[in-house]
Amino acid sequence: MLVYMMKMEENVNIGSSRVIHRLDKGYKITKISGNDCKMMLRDKYSTPLAVIELCGDKVSNVRGYKSVTYDNKYRKILVDYVRDFHYHLTEEAAVDLGLSVIKIEGELDIYLTGQEFSSSKLAEYLRRPEYVSITFNDYDKNVLTIPSGTKNCSLNLTHASVKKLVIEKKVNVSVDLRDNQYTEILDIKDNFSGRLNLSRCNLEEIRIADNCRCDMLFNYSGKCFNLVVGDVFSGVMDIRNSCFHNLEIGYYCYAEIKLSENWGRKNISVGDSFRGTLSVDSVVAKNIRIGNDCRGKINISSKDGRCRVKNLEVDDDFNGELNLRYMQTIETVNIGAQAAGRLDMVSCPSVKAVRIEENFNGVADFSSSGLMYLQAQKGCRGRFVFLHCDNLSLLKLPRSNVSDMKLNSSPLEISKDKEYVYYKFDERAIPEEYQESWLASSFRKLKKVMRRNLPT
């Protein structure tokens, strides 16, 4: 008897006065009592299926009855309902209904299902001269290609099921991959300009070709990734709290690159003729290498010993600024030939050995650092500051030139051979890993020549 009375009451609640719209195959939209902005989709038996939040002409939310996910077979009914009555959708509602949203400047929004949103339609919208914004929902493709010449567009792929995103040459777009769980490869061809937001996505391979200018933000990567950037890259690259296997920047980069709280298995490599700013803060990597002819600013720091970068190599013709102040982990630094920049290792407790090749004519300040051993080769005319270097054991400087040195302690012994003057400050032996033999030095120089002359 109680069950019968409850059914009677339900029938009263959904009587003709409560039905807002009657749809095909007996489906109907009813108003939920006590809430003017909530509607209910019911079948021909009046079974509640989905709740629709609709105020005015905008749908803001669609969800299953009692928060249970509604069956996808009802999605088409809801999509037809929205289209028939020309309702607008919020971003959340478009996701709920699996509709991609195309916004064209000066026109009404266009909503397309995954089946309707073909490659030809995408190309048609991307060719429009007006500003176009596309949000991909329920869009499933193995490879999505943005055609060459696309410009003045914004692409949101957060909910796109795309394994590989390819951006062809001469494209100017803004790409949003935040929180995307599907895309593994991002392949950007030459002359790209725009913005990339990759935070919390699952990319594994990022390739950016030559002559690209873009701002890239990547926070909290979902997976470890490889990043290879081509020549003449500019813009701002900000990578934080992420994992990379390898990070490589090409020739003549004049970007601002910020790496913070990241960890990597291999190297950070910056190509020749760097003209930008590289800031590395609390990053785990095997080594850091800076190419020839660097005129940029290199700042490497760490909040604690977790950074684990132990070796830094700077190739020939350096004339920029290298700042290792307060760095906690770097032990050895190699500076190439013809260097004329500024080396700032003030209060760097971890640095133990610095090796400088021929014809150094810059300024190197090691005050209050942990420096134990410094070697500079022939032609050195630079200025060295060793104030309060309590760990200093040996300076090996060329006898052919007189360097400008500032010390607040006197060496215990000064000796000479055919090539070098040795300033000895204590009796400790320098560990072999800090000294470099003639053979090791020659091999390292050969590798630099090969890197410079072999095609990449």
Side-chain angles (χ1 to χ4, degrees):
M1 183 66 176
L2 179 61
V3 172
Y4 175 77
M5 289 177 64
M6 288 177 65
K7 285 184 177 180
M8 288 288 291
E9 182 179 353
E10 183 183 35
N11 288 334
V12 171
N13 288 339
I14 63 165
S16 59
S17 62
R18 307 300 294 168
V19 173
I20 306 302
H21 299 293
R22 296 190 182 276
L23 311 178
D24 291 342
K25 299 181 181 180
Y27 291 99
K28 47 187 164 285
I29 303 294
T30 65
K31 183 174 289 187
I32 294 178
S33 179
N35 194 321
D36 290 339
C37 289
K38 284 190 177 179
M39 310 294 173
M40 183 83 74
L41 172 67
R42 297 174 183 265
D43 63 13
K44 62 182 179 180
Y45 304 108
S46 298
T47 306
L49 304 174
V51 177
I52 307 154
E53 294 189 16
L54 170 63
C55 284
D57 64 347
K58 180 169 286 189
V59 178
S60 59
N61 184 271
V62 180
R63 63 182 183 276
Y65 178 61
K66 292 187 176 178
S67 298
V68 176
T69 303
Y70 65 91
D71 196 307
N72 278 340
K73 68 181 181 181
Y74 304 127
R75 181 177 279 182
K76 184 179 185 307
I77 298 165
L78 292 167
V79 168
D80 290 342
Y81 167 62
V82 167
R83 286 174 167 171
D84 288 344
F85 291 93
H86 305 290
Y87 291 133
H88 299 290
L89 302 176
T90 63
E91 291 182 13
E92 294 79 8
V95 173
D96 294 337
L97 293 173
L99 290 172
S100 293
V101 184
I102 298 93
K103 295 178 179 289
I104 301 174
E105 192 174 24
E107 298 184 13
L108 295 175
D109 294 351
I110 300 167
Y111 302 109
L112 297 176
T113 65
Q115 293 77 14
E116 295 168 335
F117 203 173
S118 62
S119 298
S120 59
K121 270 196 176 295
L122 174 60
E124 176 188 332
Y125 292 126
L126 294 178
R127 285 195 299 264
R128 295 287 296 265
E130 304 90 347
Y131 181 81
V132 177
S133 171
I134 300 176
T135 300
F136 296 84
N137 295 318
D138 196 26
Y139 188 85
D140 194 346
K141 250 185 169 332
N142 189 45
V143 179
L144 171 60
T145 300
I146 307 304
S148 179
T150 299
K151 59 183 180 180
N152 206 24
C153 291
S154 174
L155 309 176
N156 185 326
L157 291 111
T158 292
H159 299 285
S161 301
V162 172
K163 185 174 182 180
K164 180 178 181 180
L165 174 62
V166 178
I167 300 178
E168 293 290 355
K169 295 181 179 181
K170 298 181 181 179
V171 168
N172 182 353
V173 298
S174 174
V175 177
D176 190 347
L177 274 167
R178 281 178 296 176
D179 301 295
N180 181 291
Q181 303 301 302
Y182 308 99
T183 305
E184 298 175 359
I185 300 172
L186 173 60
D187 188 2
I188 299 176
K189 307 297 185 184
D190 295 345
N191 300 103
F192 169 79
S193 61
R195 298 177 61 86
L196 302 172
N197 193 332
L198 312 179
S199 295
R200 300 179 300 280
C201 74
N202 282 343
L203 284 170
E204 297 176 18
E205 294 283 341
I206 305 171
R207 298 188 290 264
I208 301 176
D210 299 338
N211 300 301
C212 292
R213 177 178 179 82
C214 75
D215 294 339
M216 186 179 95
L217 178 63
F218 201 169
N219 291 344
Y220 299 100
S221 65
K223 293 182 179 179
C224 291
F225 60 91
N226 288 311
L227 171 60
V228 178
V229 179
D231 299 338
V232 199
F233 175 78
S234 63
V236 178
M237 179 181 292
D238 190 348
I239 303 175
R240 305 178 195 172
N241 298 290
S242 296
C243 173
F244 61 87
H245 290 309
N246 200 49
L247 198 158
E248 182 178 338
I249 308 295
Y251 163 82
Y252 202 73
C253 167
Y254 49 103
E256 180 181 358
I257 302 171
K258 297 183 284 188
L259 309 175
S260 176
E261 309 264 357
N262 302 305
W263 56 99
R265 293 184 182 178
K266 296 184 181 179
N267 299 333
I268 297 172
S269 177
V270 177
D272 294 346
S273 302
F274 181 67
R275 297 294 188 267
T277 301
L278 173 67
S279 299
V280 180
D281 180 26
S282 302
V283 172
V284 175
K286 188 175 179 181
N287 296 295
I288 298 177
R289 188 184 74 83
I290 310 299
N292 296 292
D293 186 37
C294 173
R295 299 289 190 272
K297 296 181 179 180
I298 312 295
N299 302 301
I300 304 175
S301 60
S302 59
K303 296 181 176 65
D304 51 44
R306 290 176 297 178
C307 180
R308 296 209 300 271
V309 176
K310 290 190 175 182
N311 306 300
L312 170 65
E313 184 173 348
V314 180
D315 285 347
D316 298 344
D317 300 300
F318 176 77
N319 197 8
E321 297 180 20
L322 174 64
N323 186 345
L324 300 181
R325 283 183 176 238
Y326 308 108
M327 180 62 184
Q328 301 287 320
T329 62
I330 281 184
E331 295 182 5
T332 60
V333 178
N334 293 315
I335 306 296
Q338 283 74 240
R342 179 174 180 83
L343 313 178
D344 187 347
M345 302 185 201
V346 174
S347 299
C348 176
S350 62
V351 66
K352 298 295 187 293
V354 175
R355 298 187 288 262
I356 301 175
E357 295 181 19
E358 296 90 346
N359 302 314
F360 175 71
N361 192 24
V363 177
D365 192 342
F366 302 97
S367 298
S368 302
S369 73
L371 183 70
M372 176 187 294
Y373 170 67
L374 175 109
Q375 173 186 318
Q377 296 184 11
K378 63 183 181 181
C380 173
R381 303 180 304 279
R383 184 170 189 265
F384 297 98
V385 181
F386 301 104
L387 298 177
H388 308 294
C389 291
D390 299 334
N391 199 40
L392 188 62
S393 181
L394 179 65
L395 299 178
K396 183 180 177 182
L397 300 175
R399 62 179 299 171
S400 57
N401 295 84
V402 178
S403 297
D404 179 7
M405 290 194 299
K406 190 171 184 180
L407 292 153
N408 63 341
S409 58
S410 300
L412 298 178
E413 178 185 333
I414 300 176
S415 59
K416 299 179 181 180
D417 60 21
K418 290 183 179 180
E419 295 185 40
Y420 294 99
V421 180
Y422 300 86
Y423 300 84
K424 194 171 184 178
F425 292 84
D426 61 33
E427 300 298 331
R428 289 177 299 169
I430 303 299
E432 290 185 4
E433 64 266 28
Y434 294 156
Q435 300 187 71
E436 187 174 56
S437 66
W438 175 86
L439 184 62
S441 175
S442 299
F443 181 66
R444 184 162 56 83
K445 291 177 182 179
L446 177 61
K447 286 199 301 182
K448 288 200 299 182
V449 171
M450 292 176 64
R451 280 199 302 262
R452 177 179 287 188
N453 295 310
L454 289 178
T456 56

